[in-house]
Structure formats: structure tokens, C-alpha cells
Amino acid sequence: MTDQRDQDLHGGWLPPVAPEGPSQRAADDPFGRQRRPWWRRAGSGLIATLVVIGAKLKTILVLLPKIKVLTTSGSMLVSVAAYALIWGWRFAVGFVVLLFIHEMGHVIQLRREGVEASAPVFIPFMGALVWAKSLGGNALAEARVGLAGPILGTIGSAACLPIAWATGSDLWTALAFTGFFLNLFNLLPVVPLDGGRAMAAMAPWMWFAGLAIIVALAFLRPNPIIVLIAVIGAFDVFHRWRQRRQGGEATREYYRVRPRDRALVGLVYLGLIALLVLGMDATHLQRSIPN
């Protein structure tokens, strides 16, 4: 539903206004006060415009999961088309499928935790995401949800290896390497990455170590995605840390994890890192640069 003000701002008809002369300006202000300087008026208009844009963007984000054009299949096709412009359609298809496998790990585990989750939605050059109302009832459930993506993603990446060995195709080897790398990157110990979810059950203080790594990468290897993760991570880490320190019994209960479960999460986390590093080493392709 849009009100009349929205129609006026976005294409509604407005009556013509006569040019404003000195007499008109005096009539506008019976007390003879001078109008504000143009830069102040322009600034006020800019602020008002930004407020309107922000409200519209918020509405779009709320409605995003419900827009039919952004279903899983539709957003996958859009992502394939975008990646194909850079890497060709064969690699683009394989890359998007690997992203899908990773995200389905989260979806499957969320549903096992009794949390309703959407199907993955793909955003070109940003990856994919899943909507859910929560990540489970406690930090251990959050860790299971977080690690489920890299676990299934690692399996999907490893499935490329037999095909690569049987066909001798560098394409499948490159897909395996890329899948291993993406899942390893996601294990960095900072929210909102999957490794940060695991740290909620293992050692929340590691969020700060992961944030430091992300910030260092943002300066050493500037990249819009890295910068975005750094900004989101900074807000998320400090918010969750403050909430954890100042929260009540419900918050303390959320982060209460038995030592045995904490050790199991740590074993899976470190095991995944080791497997992914070995996988990247086994699938690394030397590129020859012509003279």
C-alpha cells in the first residue's frame, strides 16, 4: 500500500509553480526573514531523500524472500550468467552448484534443529544466503548449523576429484580447488562466517582474532566482499560480546556448552581445516604466464 505522499514523490502529478521573484519571496515570509542559504536547503533535501531511500530499501529487504523472481532456481540462473561473463559458463555452473551444496548443508541442519529455513537465494559476486528466524536454541546448535555448510561443501568439492582424475580435466580440478578454498575461508573464526558460528560453542573470544584477520585482509587485499564482511563482523562481534557479558540467565544458558561437546566441535572444526588445506594443496594448478 502506498500513500499519497509516495505518489507525489515518485511520479505523481504536481501543479506547476510560477517562477519565484523578489515579491514572491517577501510574501512567503511576512516577517521579512531571509531564506536559508542554498547549501542548507540542498542538504535538507538530500537528507530527506536518503531517509526515503532507506525506508524503501528496508521494505525491499523485508520482502526479498517473498519476491518470486528471486527463487532458488531463478537466482541461480542469474548468478551463472554473471559468473559466466568472467569464467565461462562451464565453470560458472559448477561454481554455483558448489555454493548450492554448501548452503544446503545449513538448510538441512536448520531443519534438523526444528528451525524453519528458506531455500538458498543467490546473489552474484556475494555468494548465497539462507533465511531463518534463529540458528537453534543454543550455541551448540548454532555451531552445528555453522559447520554443516562447510562439511557438505567439502564433500561436494571432493566429489569433483574423481571426475578430474578420470577425465584429466583442469576444469574439475579448478572447481575442486575453488570449493575447498571457499569452505576454508568460511571457517575464519568471526561472525557472520561459519567459523564464527562454531566459535560460539568453542571459544567466543576467538571472534576478535577472526575480526583482526578480516580487517588485515581488508587492508592488505582490498576487496568489496572482504570489506563488507569486516564491517558486518565488527558490529556483530561487539554486539554479541556485549550481550554475552551483560545478558541475563537466558544468555548465559545459551552459551553454556558441556566440555565434551566443546571438544567435539573443536575436533570437527580443526579436522575440516586440515582436510581443506590438504585438498587445496592437491588441486592447486600451476599457471604458466607466456613471455
Side-chain angles (χ1 to χ4, degrees):
M1 178 182 296
T2 58
D3 58 17
Q4 184 62 41
R5 288 174 297 175
D6 288 334
Q7 295 175 12
D8 291 343
L9 286 170
H10 304 283
W13 179 84
L14 291 175
V17 180
E20 188 179 46
S23 60
Q24 180 65 35
R25 287 196 296 270
D28 287 343
D29 193 342
F31 299 101
R33 294 173 298 190
Q34 294 183 349
R35 298 182 67 192
R36 291 181 302 166
W38 67 268
W39 60 84
R40 291 187 180 178
R41 287 184 279 118
S44 299
L46 178 60
I47 293 173
T49 302
L50 291 176
V51 170
V52 172
I53 293 174
K56 299 300 180 184
L57 287 177
K58 182 178 180 181
T59 302
I60 291 172
L61 290 175
V62 171
L63 295 177
L64 194 59
K66 302 178 182 179
I67 300 176
K68 292 183 178 180
V69 73
L70 290 179
T71 58
T72 297
S73 57
S75 59
M76 286 181 74
L77 290 174
V78 172
S79 291
V80 167
Y83 295 132
L85 296 175
I86 302 175
W87 300 311
W89 72 267
R90 291 181 178 85
F91 186 89
V93 169
F95 181 69
V96 171
V97 169
L98 289 176
L99 289 176
F100 175 78
I101 293 172
H102 175 102
E103 294 300 324
M104 283 306 299
H106 296 312
V107 172
I108 292 170
Q109 187 58 40
L110 279 167
R111 293 176 179 175
R112 290 186 63 186
E113 301 289 343
V115 179
E116 185 178 353
S118 71
V121 175
F122 293 80
I123 304 174
F125 308 110
M126 293 292 292
L129 51 86
V130 172
W131 275 277
K133 292 183 178 180
S134 73
L135 293 172
N138 51 57
L140 181 59
E142 180 180 345
R144 288 194 295 259
V145 171
L147 291 175
I151 289 173
L152 198 58
T154 300
I155 295 173
S157 302
C160 297
L161 292 177
I163 304 175
W165 295 333
T167 62
S169 171
D170 286 348
L171 171 65
W172 288 98
T173 304
L175 282 171
F177 177 87
T178 304
F180 290 139
F181 171 77
L182 288 177
N183 284 283
L184 182 62
F185 177 81
N186 264 284
L187 287 175
L188 283 175
V190 61
V191 285
L193 298 180
D194 299 331
R197 307 300 181 193
M199 289 303 132
M202 288 176 56
W205 62 268
M206 282 293 293
W207 290 332
F208 292 98
L211 180 60
I213 294 173
I214 288 291
V215 171
L217 287 174
F219 280 99
L220 297 175
R221 302 289 183 182
N223 179 288
I225 298 178
I226 298 293
V227 173
L228 181 62
I229 293 174
V231 172
I232 296 175
F235 282 104
D236 207 349
V237 166
F238 286 105
H239 170 73
R240 292 191 61 164
W241 187 260
R242 185 177 62 180
Q243 184 183 48
R244 182 172 176 267
R245 294 294 298 270
Q246 301 176 0
E249 181 58 31
T251 302
R252 288 191 291 271
E253 184 62 29
Y254 181 90
Y255 287 100
R256 188 170 290 125
V257 180
R258 294 181 301 178
R260 183 183 64 181
D261 293 330
R262 185 178 294 111
L264 182 59
V265 171
L267 181 63
V268 173
Y269 179 79
L270 295 175
L272 272 174
I273 291 177
L275 286 174
L276 290 167
V277 169
L278 290 174
M280 287 181 61
D281 181 67
T283 55
H284 182 260
L285 293 173
Q286 294 289 341
R287 292 187 302 175
S288 58
I289 303 176
N291 295 325

